[in-house]
Amino acid sequence: MDITVFGSGYVGLVTAACFADAGNSVVCVDVDAGRVETLSQGEVPFYEPGLDQMVRANFQQGRLRFTTDAEEGVRHGLFQFIAVGTPPGEDGSADLKYVLQVADTIGSLMHDYRVVVTKSTVPVGTADKVRDALLAAQQRRGESVEFDVVSNPEFLKEGAAIADFTRPDRIVIGTDNPRTAELMRALYAPFNHNHDRIVVMDVRSSELTKYAANAMLATRISFMNELANVAEKVGADIEKVRVGIGSDPRIGYDFIYPGCGYGGSCFPKDVKALVHTAAESGHLATLLAAVEDVNQRQKRVLFERIRKHFGNDLKGRTIALWGLAFKPKTDDMREASSRVLMEALWEAGAKVRAFDPVAMPETQKIYGERADLTLCDSAEAACEGADVLAIVTEWKQFRSPNFDRLKKLLKQPTIFDGRNLYDPQLMKRQGFAYYSIGRVPVGV
């Protein structure tokens, strides 16, 4: 099939590459000429395991190409995917400017039937706005060309996006036209062999499904973080509580890990957008607002503990930091807990020596050269001359460090663990003061 994808960011590029890898002919359109040139040279401008190889292979075999020419894109694909950004506004609402610009472009250039698919995460009612933009563009040029608008939200986890796309849990299709549903079924047939994963529903339900899924997962995380804070107060171990409740099949073990807050491009933005959508419809979403409030508070937990440990005086202190990305297997630092911690430490007069396996270029891009930030070549190097160690990302290579070596590198054998990587009793035997989440500190 012939497919056009508008937007070569995270969602757009994964979508384009995976469809091309299944044998389709895909054109990816982006207004950023520099990005188009970079992608045409086989370079992916962000980290996602396996994506660079997939992009290069399909580009070389002619199934995937990149262009700034919107007319070429509209002419090429029966399916026109809109996968551009929807950045949050100050009030938490999703900014649909880029989505509607693409819809206007498609409407201005289309001459044959097209299926216009919103892949971006968008508020309920966006498909209606896309339809209106398409009709308005056609009216301006005095033409009327048939089209359908479909909601097809993405459910990609950063770090596992290719697997999520090619072996999905579900493929949600929002359309009121049975013919369009069948076209979408045919498009997704290569990823729907084992059993039927396609769920067809009305457009508005599809749009809400994406927000509901992310809000539910965020709620589980904030719930566990709230419980973790209670556990510390009453002398319980949240990790044992986690196993105790996770063994209940009605609850399960996914997304009930306590930590120093969630981040990334999805959960924070989508929870705020859903709160805003609820308010616009006349409903006060108290629970969802609390989910985000708990998360913002949780992101400051490590800083508050570090500050208290040093008697509220961090001037001249150096903190080693392991992990900068908001989670492993990505270089994404949007809304990352590391940023909240670093910025609070700098404001208090401390310096940071940081290491992350893939996110240090992104850190450099965000913060530039700073006298109070040193990006180190290894986890051990980050500890050299540092007073204490803080951990905010649970990369596998941080799980089994040489603790004897760490004790020699750190001025104080003290670890602030925001991801509960280690057993408190082991840390006590190793001679560390160890602060974690939802467990009583040891060695203090």
Side-chain angles (χ1 to χ4, degrees):
M1 293 188 177
D2 294 334
I3 302 165
T4 296
V5 178
F6 281 88
S8 61
Y10 186 83
V11 172
L13 190 57
V14 171
T15 299
C18 289
F19 274 136
D21 205 55
N24 299 290
S25 174
V26 182
V27 169
C28 196
V29 182
D30 202 294
V31 295
D32 186 338
R35 173 165 285 213
V36 167
E37 178 63 25
T38 297
L39 289 167
S40 297
Q41 292 173 359
E43 298 176 18
V44 174
F46 53 85
Y47 180 78
E48 176 61 35
L51 184 59
D52 51 352
Q53 297 97 316
M54 182 178 283
V55 168
R56 280 195 295 270
N58 285 281
F59 179 79
Q60 290 167 0
Q61 292 164 25
R63 291 191 297 268
L64 175 62
R65 64 183 189 272
F66 302 96
T67 182
T68 58
D69 186 349
E71 186 172 4
E72 178 188 353
V74 175
R75 186 172 60 248
H76 174 80
L78 168 63
F79 298 93
Q80 302 275 315
F81 279 83
I82 301 178
V84 293
T86 54
E90 290 185 7
D91 59 356
S93 62
D95 186 348
L96 297 177
K97 174 174 61 178
Y98 303 117
V99 170
L100 297 180
Q101 282 177 358
V102 172
D104 180 79
T105 298
I106 295 171
S108 300
L109 298 171
M110 62 187 287
H111 297 288
D112 299 294
Y113 173 73
R114 292 291 180 261
V115 180
V116 181
V117 186
T118 55
K119 199 69 172 170
S120 304
T121 300
V122 293
V124 177
T126 298
D128 294 338
K129 295 178 180 179
V130 168
R131 185 177 292 107
D132 291 344
L134 289 161
L135 288 171
Q138 289 191 14
Q139 288 169 0
R140 284 199 309 270
R141 62 191 180 110
E143 289 191 38
S144 179
V145 181
E146 186 184 4
F147 64 86
D148 281 298
V149 177
V150 177
S151 169
N152 176 220
E154 54 86 12
F155 299 96
L156 306 176
K157 296 187 296 292
E158 293 190 48
I162 291 175
D164 286 343
F165 195 100
T166 57
R167 297 189 296 278
D169 298 316
R170 75 286 206 196
I171 301 166
V172 174
I173 297 170
T175 179
D176 301 316
N177 187 333
R179 179 188 66 176
T180 311
E182 290 309 307
L183 286 172
M184 293 296 289
R185 281 185 179 276
L187 176 64
Y188 276 103
F191 315 110
N192 196 39
H193 274 312
N194 186 268
H195 63 274
D196 191 4
R197 299 176 174 88
I198 291 178
V199 184
V200 179
M201 59 184 72
D202 63 276
V203 174
R204 285 181 171 245
S205 295
S206 173
E207 290 171 333
L208 183 56
T209 295
K210 168 63 177 180
Y211 277 122
N214 280 351
M216 172 61 80
L217 298 176
T219 299
R220 287 169 69 96
I221 294 170
S222 280
F223 176 78
M224 284 304 291
N225 284 334
E226 194 79 292
L227 276 186
N229 295 328
V230 174
E232 285 185 37
K233 296 290 187 183
V234 301
D237 184 334
I238 193 62
E239 291 297 331
K240 293 176 181 176
V241 174
R242 178 180 63 79
V243 173
I245 66 173
S247 58
D248 185 332
R250 296 172 300 176
I251 299 173
Y253 293 102
D254 292 336
F255 287 86
I256 59 168
Y257 288 86
C260 51
Y262 60 75
S265 63
C266 294
F267 287 5
K269 176 172 71 73
D270 292 354
V271 170
K272 291 172 188 172
L274 189 51
V275 170
H276 182 81
T277 297
E280 278 196 324
S281 67
H283 177 72
L284 182 62
T286 308
L287 174 60
L288 295 175
V291 167
E292 183 59 20
D293 289 344
V294 168
N295 190 56
Q296 291 302 318
R297 186 180 67 204
Q298 198 69 14
K299 287 182 177 181
R300 289 189 61 85
V301 164
L302 287 187
F303 170 72
E304 297 299 341
R305 291 179 183 176
I306 294 170
R307 180 167 65 176
K308 183 179 178 182
H309 176 80
F310 286 108
N312 295 323
D313 184 8
L314 288 170
K315 290 180 181 177
R317 299 291 183 178
T318 299
I319 311 301
L321 181 61
W322 284 3
L324 293 163
F326 86 93
K327 72 172 189 175
K329 298 183 181 179
T330 181
D331 62 353
D332 194 343
M333 290 182 63
R334 285 173 287 186
E335 303 274 352
S337 300
S338 64
R339 297 179 65 171
V340 175
L341 176 57
M342 286 193 294
E343 289 165 15
L345 289 169
W346 293 332
E347 188 177 349
K351 295 181 178 180
V352 174
R353 294 178 58 82
F355 171 75
D356 187 285
V358 301
M360 292 196 292
E362 183 67 15
T363 308
Q364 186 81 49
K365 190 187 306 180
I366 294 169
Y367 294 111
E369 296 291 337
R370 297 181 58 115
D372 50 10
L373 173 62
T374 303
L375 298 176
C376 303
D377 294 334
S378 68
E380 285 195 355
C383 294
E384 292 177 5
D387 290 281
V388 297
L389 167 64
I391 304 172
V392 295
T393 314
E394 62 275 31
W395 287 96
K396 281 187 178 180
Q397 63 182 268
F398 299 159
R399 293 183 181 275
S400 298
N402 184 328
F403 289 114
D404 290 335
R405 176 75 174 148
L406 287 187
K407 284 174 69 176
K408 293 176 182 177
L409 293 172
L410 294 170
K411 291 180 181 178
Q412 298 182 21
T414 303
I415 298 176
F416 295 85
D417 184 356
R419 300 299 176 188
N420 288 1
L421 297 187
Y422 312 128
D423 174 41
Q425 294 309 311
L426 170 64
M427 301 309 296
K428 186 177 181 180
R429 290 194 299 271
Q430 291 278 355
F432 281 88
Y434 180 64
Y435 299 83
S436 54
I437 305 295
R439 303 183 291 188
V440 177
V442 298
V444 178

